[in-house]
Amino acid sequence: MPRPLRRWWVRRTLRARITMVVAVVALLVFGWVAQVTSAIFASALTDQVDGQLRATLDTAAADITAGRPAPPGPRDQRIRVLDSSGGPIDGGDAPRLTDWQIRDLRAGKGVSVFPMYMHRSEPEQPGPAVRWVGRVVSVPDGAQRLVVVGTEFTSYLNVFERAGYWFLPGALLSMIAVAGTAWVAVRLALRPVQRMRQAAGALPPGQRLPVPEARDELRALAEELNALLARRDEAAERMRRFSGDAAHELRSPVASLRVQAEVAVAHPDPELAQETLADIAVEAERLSQLVDDLLMLARADAVDLPEAEPVDLVAVAKASAARLGERGIVVRVEAPTPVLVLAAPREVQLVVDNVLRNAARYARALVRVLVLPAGTQGRLLVEDDGPGVPAEHRDQVFERFHRVDEARDRASGGAGLGLALVADLVHRRGGTVRAAGSPEGGARFEIRWPKP
């Protein structure tokens, strides 16, 4: 389809496009029906005429075979006796028949001669349409004769022509009727969709569209819209909680910075100012880490997932452990076999970094990392010898801003966002996260991704 026509087509409304398609299809169907009807009508007329002519031909052929002259026949029919090449034997004028028509007559087929057909090289002569049937017979002396019987076909053609005049107008009128019906039907069919759209736009949070009882496209649309509304309400609720929790979390370090700065201004003691600046630097670092975590969570919520690819979980775990080891943390990585997981490399790195950093924050001396295959999944176990996670907090530890021990977590610099980011990234790839207790008495975090 040319681009201007395509552009014009896509600018039309759905109702107009459906109506135009239905109108074109209806016109083609009715035109085809008209052609088929015309062909059937013409065949029926021809068969009727041929039947009358062959009845006369039987009588004439019997007389010619017996050596008698051809009978006069009915008034509206003419009987001619020709030689095998189509030349007249009965003394009449040469019939207006072409060579191929003579061959068809000798073969027992009927032929129609219209005014525009000419016999060999004769000049064009107007005349009536004639239908001929013929048969080859043998006369008593053994010669072959072609007996033909014809009748004027003009009256039948006039009937057929008059009928044909009504086929096209009838097809056009039928097409208009079908197009009008399609326009009204599409308008009525789209009316529930319009009402559904208006209702969806006016629904307050928490309410859903009524689902039709009939299991049709409208029911499927209503269910999809309700699912979309549920996701909208969930996202709005998460954003509301996220905004409130973020404001609450940011209020404390900002207020602490302000108080310490005011103290430094009110008491310009060099020793006190140095101590205050050290506290301000600690709070600023904590505030910076909190802002980074908030930005990372916001990006994880808003950005579409990158395309998944096989990621070497063992290599990522060893690289993350090496970065923690540079800070004086003992991290032991055990991986008896290579393990590939299906995710994005950056996601796996973020997950492993956050889990190891969380374990190192509370470990006393050791963080143990195990990378193992588990059927159709890749399994990452991170254990520490710290205080562990109480059983009543193991399901909530992956929620945003959740802290097991408020004072201890704030002292360690945790904002309650790292594990929430881990859960979001893993769940979006079809994986699972779980918190439990380790054999050393600390915490164990088990993370699973699907394998490629």
Side-chain angles (χ1 to χ4, degrees):
M1 182 183 296
R3 182 172 297 177
L5 183 59
R6 187 187 303 118
R7 189 181 302 114
W8 175 87
W9 175 257
V10 298
R11 290 178 179 175
R12 304 283 76 81
T13 63
L14 179 62
R15 188 188 313 167
R17 282 185 282 177
I18 293 177
T19 302
M20 286 188 284
V21 170
V22 170
V24 172
V25 172
L27 183 60
L28 293 176
V29 170
F30 288 132
W32 177 79
V33 170
Q35 293 291 332
V36 173
T37 304
S38 300
I40 294 174
F41 188 41
S43 177
L45 285 176
T46 304
D47 290 343
Q48 181 182 1
V49 173
D50 286 354
Q52 297 172 357
L53 294 176
R54 292 188 188 281
T56 304
L57 178 62
D58 292 339
T59 303
D63 290 342
I64 298 299
T65 302
R68 295 188 294 271
R75 185 179 60 181
D76 59 342
Q77 297 179 3
R78 66 187 76 170
I79 301 174
R80 301 296 308 273
V81 181
L82 311 175
D83 59 20
S84 59
S85 62
I89 300 297
D90 54 5
D93 297 333
R96 298 166 53 83
L97 295 171
T98 62
D99 293 338
W100 65 268
Q101 289 173 337
I102 294 295
R103 288 194 297 270
D104 286 346
L105 288 172
R106 287 201 303 264
K109 301 177 182 178
V111 297
S112 299
V113 179
F114 298 98
M116 295 304 296
Y117 282 93
M118 296 175 292
H119 177 251
R120 301 176 180 87
S121 60
E122 293 181 3
E124 180 179 346
Q125 298 177 2
V130 180
R131 179 68 179 178
W132 295 95
V133 296
R135 183 184 302 167
V136 176
V137 299
S138 298
V139 296
D141 61 1
Q144 300 288 317
R145 297 288 182 263
L146 176 61
V147 182
V148 295
V149 180
T151 184
E152 288 190 11
F153 205 45
T154 305
S155 59
Y156 294 95
L157 292 178
N158 290 336
V159 174
F160 176 72
E161 186 176 0
R162 285 195 298 270
Y165 286 153
W166 287 102
F167 284 147
L168 181 58
L172 291 175
L173 291 176
S174 301
M175 181 268 291
I176 294 173
V178 171
T181 303
W183 177 274
V184 175
V186 173
R187 183 175 183 179
L188 294 177
L190 292 178
R191 187 171 294 174
V193 179
Q194 183 178 3
R195 290 197 297 264
M196 192 179 297
R197 177 184 59 81
Q198 294 172 349
L203 278 178
Q207 293 191 11
R208 300 291 180 264
L209 292 171
V211 178
E213 295 183 3
R215 294 187 176 276
D216 54 8
E217 289 76 8
L218 290 178
R219 180 187 179 95
L221 177 61
E223 291 174 347
E224 289 297 326
L225 287 176
N226 284 338
L228 178 63
L229 292 172
R231 292 194 296 270
R232 180 203 66 178
D233 293 345
E234 181 183 358
E237 178 63 21
R238 290 182 64 183
M239 182 58 67
R240 186 190 64 78
R241 292 199 311 266
F242 180 79
S243 300
D245 293 341
H248 175 73
E249 292 295 326
L250 290 172
R251 184 184 301 127
S252 297
V254 170
S256 177
L257 286 173
R258 179 179 178 182
V259 169
Q260 291 171 354
E262 290 176 349
V263 169
V265 172
H267 303 281
D269 184 356
E271 295 183 1
L272 181 60
Q274 186 66 26
E275 181 181 352
T276 302
L277 288 175
D279 293 339
I280 290 176
V282 172
E283 289 295 331
E285 183 179 359
R286 178 176 163 228
L287 179 61
S288 176
Q289 182 63 42
L290 178 59
V291 171
D292 289 342
D293 291 343
L294 289 173
L295 289 175
M296 197 175 300
L297 274 176
R299 292 192 190 101
D301 285 341
V303 178
D304 293 335
L305 288 177
E307 185 175 355
E309 59 183 86
V311 180
D312 188 349
L313 185 57
V314 176
V316 174
K318 289 181 177 180
S320 181
R323 287 191 292 271
L324 281 179
E326 295 175 356
R327 304 178 186 178
I329 305 297
V330 179
V331 183
R332 184 187 304 161
V333 179
E334 300 177 11
T337 181
V339 177
L340 296 179
V341 295
L342 192 62
R346 176 59 178 163
E347 292 174 4
V348 178
Q349 180 182 339
L350 285 174
V351 168
V352 177
D353 283 348
N354 276 278
V355 175
L356 291 185
R357 190 164 52 241
N358 181 81
R361 184 179 296 126
Y362 301 107
R364 294 188 180 93
L366 176 66
V367 174
R368 185 164 172 255
V369 181
L370 291 87
V371 182
L372 304 168
T376 60
Q377 295 179 320
R379 185 183 180 198
L380 174 71
L381 291 175
V382 178
E383 301 175 347
D384 63 68
D385 57 354
V389 180
E392 63 272 15
H393 289 275
R394 289 173 183 173
D395 292 334
Q396 304 173 4
V397 75
F398 298 103
E399 297 178 0
R400 298 179 180 185
F401 301 107
H402 179 79
R403 291 188 177 93
V404 176
D405 187 329
E406 187 78 17
R408 184 190 68 182
D409 291 344
R410 286 188 181 277
S412 63
L417 293 176
L419 294 179
L421 177 63
V422 167
D424 283 350
L425 293 176
V426 174
H427 288 159
R428 291 175 71 181
R429 290 298 182 183
T432 59
V433 293
R434 189 170 67 91
S438 72
E440 290 80 8
R444 167 188 279 185
F445 291 95
E446 180 180 357
I447 304 169
R448 298 189 180 209
W449 286 275
K451 292 171 67 175

